[in-house]
Amino acid sequence: MAEEILLEVQDLTHLFPLTKRAVVRAVDGVSFQVRRGEIFGLVGESGSGKSTVARCVMNLYRPRGGRILYKGIDVCDPAAFRANRRMLQRTRQMIFQDSGSSLNQRMRVWEIIAEPLRIQRIAPPRGSLREEAAFQMHYVGLDAGYLDRYPPELSGGQRQRVAIARALAMEPELLVADEPIASLDVSIQAQIVNLFKHLQQEHGFSFLFIAHDLAMVEFLCDRVGVMYRGRLVEAGPAAEVFAHPGHPYTRALLSSIPIPDPRRERARRPEIFSGEALGGRLAETGPGHYVLREEG
């Protein structure tokens, strides 16, 4: 039996205007699928278009072209979105990179976590909104002593855990995380990634994980897509992409991962990617492994 496709992005394109005559093509013909219950990682350097894809998926941006199908519903179609608004808002949740700006500084922690339930008029499974918030906080490793604190009173890692708890309170089927660990200390990053892995195994939600830390992506993700200048240049099972990268840009990214051994780190010669113009199409090079090939 084929695995169910929860999210399908088809030939997605998005432009940002600079002037009346100039635009930036932030996303250019990107296509990928996220299966139910899997973690799909989207990686690339800053400015590659990863965050723009995430915001298009969550209807924060209206793409200029392509389709985004969630449970078979074209969420780019205004009529289809309106008809399914409540379901889409309940079953899709997003975690942003900057927890400081994504949390209301004037709300207490329990109010922040319970806010989606209150807005959607969902009866708290555990009696009251405060009790539900306490349960979700415990689930992400925060004790009830933080319930009445405000975001400025928390550390970066604690704020990100609050953001995760807020998203999980809705019991999402799709969780989109846009570089959720980029602004955290290395030790806290490992804690948050381990938390993500545990929660995904417990809840079984599908997870679109946006990052530029390749080591974290290799540890966390089932499949991975590599973006460069708005294009998806490679996609496939994480183990296959990391072991046998097919595109020069992917090889250059992997060669930039630091090696813990100082002698080996000094001796190696990182691969250089020239940044040539991208063209062509994704061609399958192995089971589920696709690489952008030049046409002609």
Side-chain angles (χ1 to χ4, degrees), residues 18 25 37 58-59 61 68-69 92 127 169 186 208 226 235 241 259 270 284 287:
L18 293 179
R25 189 175 289 270
M58 294 300 293
N59 292 108
Y61 293 158
I68 300 173
L69 303 178
R92 304 180 305 163
V186 174
L208 177 58
V226 182
V241 171
I259 299 176
E284 189 167 12

Side-chain angles (χ1 to χ4, degrees), residues 25-273:
R25 189 175 289 270
V27 179
D28 186 8
V30 169
S31 299
F32 63 89
Q33 298 174 335
V34 179
R35 302 174 184 130
R36 189 174 290 277
E38 82 165 350
I39 304 177
F40 184 88
L42 203 56
V43 304
E45 61 193 5
S46 296
S48 61
K50 310 183 302 296
S51 295
T52 302
V53 169
R55 283 164 169 74
C56 288
V57 166
M58 294 300 293
N59 292 108
L60 299 179
Y61 293 158
R62 176 178 288 185
R64 294 296 186 93
R67 303 173 72 205
I68 300 173
L69 303 178
Y70 175 74
K71 291 185 172 183
I73 300 167
D74 186 354
V75 300
C76 299
D77 177 15
F81 180 84
R82 286 194 300 270
N84 297 277
R85 179 189 297 272
R86 183 172 173 80
M87 181 276 291
L88 293 171
Q89 291 177 339
R90 290 183 59 173
T91 63
R92 304 180 305 163
Q93 295 295 313
M94 187 167 184
I95 300 170
F96 296 90
Q97 175 180 345
D98 184 4
S99 58
S101 61
S102 67
L103 304 180
N104 191 324
Q105 307 296 298
R106 297 185 178 184
M107 293 176 68
R108 289 172 290 181
V109 165
W110 78 265
E111 294 171 323
I112 291 171
I113 296 173
E115 186 179 29
L117 297 172
R118 179 179 57 79
I119 292 174
Q120 295 294 328
R121 299 179 181 177
I122 299 173
R126 289 154 192 92
S128 71
L129 291 174
R130 186 181 176 90
E131 289 172 348
E132 182 65 25
F135 174 83
Q136 297 297 341
M137 285 177 60
H138 174 75
Y139 213 71
V140 298
L142 292 174
D143 61 56
Y146 292 96
L147 279 171
D148 291 307
R149 294 195 184 185
Y150 293 87
E153 299 178 284
L154 307 178
S155 68
Q158 290 168 342
R159 286 196 300 269
Q160 200 61 285
R161 287 173 187 266
V162 171
I164 296 169
R166 177 177 61 182
L168 292 180
M170 296 296 289
E171 298 184 356
E173 296 180 46
L174 174 66
L175 185 62
V176 177
D178 183 15
E179 302 205 32
I181 61 174
S183 60
L184 304 177
D185 293 337
V186 174
S187 60
I188 306 300
Q189 288 182 1
Q191 293 177 20
I192 297 297
V193 167
N194 281 319
L195 175 63
F196 278 139
K197 196 172 187 70
H198 170 73
L199 293 175
Q200 195 277 335
Q201 291 171 348
E202 287 285 318
H203 289 261
F205 53 76
S206 298
F207 196 4
L208 177 58
F209 183 72
I210 313 293
H212 61 257
D213 189 323
L214 297 174
M216 293 296 186
V217 170
E218 183 179 20
F219 169 75
L220 181 65
C221 299
D222 303 309
R223 292 191 304 125
V224 62
V226 182
M227 289 193 66
Y228 176 71
R229 291 187 179 177
R231 299 292 302 275
L232 189 71
V233 298
E234 187 161 359
E240 177 68 19
V241 171
F242 278 81
H244 307 288
H247 194 274
Y249 178 68
T250 308
R251 292 196 293 270
L253 274 183
L254 295 179
S255 73
S256 68
I257 300 177
I259 299 176
D261 186 338
R263 292 183 178 179
R264 292 177 58 200
E265 177 68 22
R266 287 194 297 268
R268 73 170 179 164
R269 301 178 65 180
E271 184 165 335
I272 305 299
F273 180 59

